[in-house]
Amino acid sequence: MSFLLSIYVQPNSSKNEIVGEYNGMLKIKIKAPADSGKANKELVSFLAKYLNLKKNQITIIKGHISRQKIVSLEVEEIPVDLESFLISS
């Protein structure tokens, strides 16, 4: 099953972490700079580790060059703490 999450990414942070909510989106700080897709790559790695998924189960659908992203997760069920950031299809 596929779920879409609305995510706001803050690159160049001191550590990778989920911060909370920002304008209705899940805010995630990422250490990597927003340069040549480095932050996107680290975001996928971070989410894979956080959600115990394989990287190929996570896809950035929209926002490759923006801080605001739509991310697809291929999972059976979404963790409760992320439910409020789901996008209805």
Side-chain angles (χ1 to χ4, degrees):
M1 182 173 272
S2 181
F3 294 95
L4 297 179
L5 279 180
S6 179
I7 297 177
Y8 180 86
V9 176
Q10 180 180 329
N12 294 318
S13 180
S14 59
K15 62 182 179 176
N16 294 334
E17 64 181 332
I18 293 178
V19 179
E21 186 267 340
Y22 176 81
N23 287 341
M25 296 175 277
L26 177 64
K27 183 175 180 181
I28 301 177
K29 289 184 176 182
I30 295 295
K31 291 189 291 188
D35 178 40
S36 303
K38 292 176 187 173
N40 288 341
K41 199 173 200 177
E42 192 155 338
L43 172 66
V44 170
S45 295
F46 173 74
L47 286 172
K49 186 174 180 181
Y50 181 79
L51 298 169
N52 195 27
L53 299 173
K54 295 177 182 173
K55 290 179 191 177
N56 66 0
Q57 292 177 276
I58 301 168
T59 307
I60 297 174
I61 302 295
K62 185 177 177 183
H64 288 85
I65 58 172
S66 170
R67 289 180 178 216
Q68 299 177 15
K69 303 186 183 300
I70 305 295
V71 176
S72 173
L73 304 175
E74 294 294 328
V75 293
E76 291 303 314
E77 63 182 82
I78 197 80
V80 174
D81 58 336
L82 300 181
E83 284 181 350
S84 61
F85 306 106
L86 288 175
I87 298 171
S88 312
S89 42

